[in-house]
Amino acid sequence: MTALVPDISIRVVPPTSAPAAAVLRDYYTDIVSRYWGRPVTEAELDRVLAEERSDDLVPPTGLLLVAFDDAGPVGCAGLRLLTAGLGEVTRVYVAGRARRRGLGGRLLREVESAALASGRTALRLDTRADLVEARRLYAGHGYREVPAFNDSPYAQHWFAKDLQMSKSKG
């Protein structure tokens, strides 16, 4: 078993900050390359970043958590604050050098704590079929598959979690 990640700190940062820009670039490099089955070009990546903006991941509409090790950002998770009681998890990513040490779960727990602190009682998210590790992570943390709640061309699986139920079990 690989050690968990006590050497990694997680902080809320603006999506326009340098660390956030770097980790979001890494996130999109990973998922777009996987989607296309080839490395994404810089021009394609710039286009995706312009289309898939993260500006709303700031109070009062959301937040962006970034995980740091001694070398810099190694992961992220976003939270959109939707209608009263509902939040949406987005941009969950762990860099290769920090994988298999529990950071994905730690980021999810931090997002859930932030959601509860903001008065949210439920979270939802969507993901692609090819992101099997993400689907396994969500299911392992109590998210259940639900009917589609959006028509995103990049979503094939939709998940939800009742935070009140999770809180009462803990």
Side-chain angles (χ1 to χ4, degrees):
M1 178 87 176
T2 308
L4 293 178
V5 287
D7 57 328
I8 292 180
S9 64
I10 298 174
R11 298 191 303 266
V12 174
V13 300
T16 55
S17 69
V23 77
L24 288 169
R25 192 167 194 85
D26 290 347
Y27 163 75
Y28 279 111
T29 297
D30 183 52
I31 67 167
V32 174
S33 294
R34 289 174 68 165
Y35 183 76
W36 287 340
R38 63 167 173 79
V40 64
T41 68
E42 288 299 313
E44 291 167 334
L45 185 56
D46 290 340
R47 206 166 35 252
V48 169
L49 285 164
E51 291 169 3
E52 298 290 327
R53 304 199 45 94
S54 299
D55 315 26
D56 61 334
L57 300 179
V58 295
T61 58
L63 60 88
L64 181 66
L65 296 170
V66 175
F68 296 86
D69 69 6
D70 291 342
V74 292
C76 61
L79 171 64
R80 287 194 175 99
L81 301 173
L82 304 176
T83 61
L86 181 62
E88 187 170 82
V89 179
T90 187
R91 315 282 193 273
V92 178
Y93 170 72
V94 176
R97 73 179 193 265
R99 289 182 182 160
R100 303 191 60 77
R101 296 192 293 161
L103 181 56
R106 189 169 157 204
L107 283 162
L108 276 180
R109 288 188 299 276
E110 294 277 344
V111 163
E112 291 169 7
S113 292
L116 280 167
S118 73
R120 282 8 185 220
T121 57
L123 289 175
R124 70 181 192 187
L125 60 90
D126 64 53
T127 192
R128 295 192 329 239
D130 64 316
L131 300 176
V132 293
E133 305 92 341
R135 292 182 10 237
R136 190 171 29 246
L137 173 70
Y138 303 138
H141 284 270
Y143 290 78
R144 69 188 192 305
E145 288 218 40
V146 296
F149 54 78
N150 65 28
D151 59 358
S152 168
Y154 303 111
Q156 289 101 21
H157 293 269
W158 295 263
F159 290 85
K161 183 173 184 177
D162 181 335
L163 297 176
Q164 295 297 75
M165 291 294 289
S166 299
K167 189 176 167 184
S168 67
K169 288 180 183 177

